[in-house]
Amino acid sequence: MSQASPRVLALCGGVGGAKLVLGLSHIVAGEDLMVVVNTGDDFDHLGLRVCPDIDTVSYTLAGVVNPETGWGRAGETGEFMAALASLGGEDWFFLGDRDLALHVERTRRLRDGETLSDITADFACKLGVTVNIVPMSDDPVATKVATKEGELAFQHYFVRERCQPAVTGFRFQGIDRASPHSRIVEALQNPALEAVVICPSNPFVSIDPILALPGLREALTRCTAPVVAISPIVGGAAVKGPTAKMMAELNVAVTPAAVVTHYAGLLEGFVLDERDAACKRTIERLVPHVSIGDTLMVNLDRKIALAEQVLALAGRCVAA
């Protein structure tokens, strides 16, 4: 995997972010694109270290992701899970048979002292991925979801409880002892960097863990490249996942403007979906450059088109 400094750096969560990253990978050469992936969702399950967002991004870029779910591997089988359930084991988190091999090997290598970033880069290479996939940190961080029913580990909230408990806040366990990966800091300090893209991932549980890393937000504000984001809210709803539900439960307006406000002090550009064009003037009071387009990435062409729009917006920010 190339160690050259990237031209484009993307902050990414799982399914929604992976779609945009796939689009970016078609217009930015692999060694010129770095994807910084949230690891707050990572957890130990059945004795294995599972990294859902890293794996979703890796499988998506490798062309082996399950097209129906956006996560997991295509053509997966579930014999292991069926056997586990028959023994009374925990089967609430599905691990497909081929996907399971990745978790077993990752866990072994971590126990042997390898870093998560080195393992991730090696797996990406074996999957034929040339894009630089970088975990936000090699230090463990665990997202905890505060709910009216008590605090839950993220995957317990997201998968086991199916996002049903009402959310009251979030905590990133271990964040004060974690460091952003050195390659991320180096990329942000490099004047050759042309754009930082905040993918349309959940702001609270996919992007905030990255931004909460000590020194990371400050590095973004000092970065000479424009920081642009894509709205994860379209027409008053989340494209995928519990973002809108979380916003409503936190008494935050379910609007693109609220997303911009959430990223206050970071953004120079924002991509607004055409269905929310009426919000443009409001958002222009919050961020200097606004672009309107179709942000629903329903096929590869739309993913590539949105990626092109995002980079064009970043170019406008620089030219202004």
Side-chain angles (χ1 to χ4, degrees):
M1 188 68 65
S2 171
Q3 295 295 310
S5 184
R7 290 193 302 110
V8 177
L9 185 149
L11 309 185
C12 185
V15 177
K19 289 181 178 180
L20 180 61
V21 164
L22 180 60
L24 287 168
S25 73
H26 281 261
I27 57 176
V28 180
E31 65 273 14
D32 290 334
L33 176 60
M34 177 184 290
V35 185
V36 178
V37 185
N38 167 50
T39 60
D41 294 7
D42 297 6
F43 75 127
D44 293 320
H45 186 59
L46 304 176
L48 302 174
R49 189 63 175 170
V50 181
C51 305
D53 286 357
I54 289 175
D55 297 342
T56 294
V57 171
S58 300
Y59 288 156
T60 299
L61 289 172
V64 299
V65 76
N66 183 335
E68 296 180 1
T69 62
W71 53 267
R73 295 192 63 146
E76 190 61 276
T77 53
E79 295 300 316
F80 166 77
M81 294 304 301
L84 180 68
S86 72
L87 297 171
E90 288 188 79
D91 62 349
W92 57 269
F93 192 92
F94 181 83
L95 295 174
D97 297 331
R98 286 190 289 176
D99 184 40
L100 187 64
L102 183 146
H103 306 305
V104 169
E105 181 63 1
R106 175 195 287 130
T107 303
R108 181 193 68 78
R109 292 174 64 168
L110 285 170
R111 288 173 178 167
D112 283 348
E114 293 187 58
T115 63
L116 177 61
S117 56
D118 284 347
I119 297 167
T120 299
D122 185 51
F123 284 172
C125 184
K126 288 181 167 63
L127 286 167
V129 176
T130 59
V131 170
N132 293 284
I133 303 172
V134 181
M136 69 182 200
S137 178
D138 277 327
D139 304 310
V141 175
T143 297
K144 304 292 183 180
V145 183
T147 78
K148 292 182 178 180
E149 300 174 21
E151 187 176 74
L152 295 170
F154 178 77
Q155 297 299 341
H156 286 180
Y157 163 80
F158 187 66
V159 180
R160 191 186 68 185
E161 302 302 323
R162 300 183 180 182
C163 306
Q164 292 180 358
V167 167
T168 60
F170 308 95
R171 179 171 68 91
F172 308 124
Q173 186 177 43
I175 197 72
D176 56 331
R177 299 183 299 276
S179 298
H181 195 281
S182 60
R183 292 192 62 204
I184 303 169
V185 177
E186 291 167 4
L188 291 174
Q189 292 173 341
N190 194 315
L193 186 67
E194 297 175 8
V196 177
V197 179
I198 300 180
C199 292
S201 302
N202 187 308
F204 305 102
V205 295
S206 292
I207 303 301
D208 274 0
I210 303 174
L211 298 179
L213 286 165
L216 199 285
R217 182 178 281 269
E218 292 78 6
L220 278 170
T221 58
R222 291 193 301 266
C223 175
T224 58
V227 180
V228 298
I230 301 89
S231 180
I233 297 296
V234 175
V239 176
K240 189 174 180 65
T243 302
K245 177 179 181 292
M246 289 176 172
M247 294 174 78
E249 290 166 355
L250 293 169
N251 295 316
V252 174
V254 186
T255 64
V259 175
V260 176
T261 300
H262 187 78
Y263 294 137
L266 292 179
L267 302 183
E268 292 184 50
F270 189 75
V271 178
L272 179 69
D273 189 84
E274 60 193 12
R275 297 156 189 82
D276 295 309
C279 302
K280 184 181 180 184
R281 288 191 177 181
T282 298
I283 293 175
E284 285 177 331
R285 292 194 287 267
L286 302 172
V287 65
H289 303 279
V290 180
S291 179
I292 296 178
D294 184 357
T295 65
L296 296 183
M297 296 174 282
V298 296
N299 54 44
L300 180 58
D301 287 344
R302 286 305 316 150
K303 295 177 179 71
I304 295 172
L306 180 58
E308 291 174 336
Q309 181 180 359
V310 169
L311 296 186
L313 175 62
R316 281 170 43 198
C317 294
V318 172

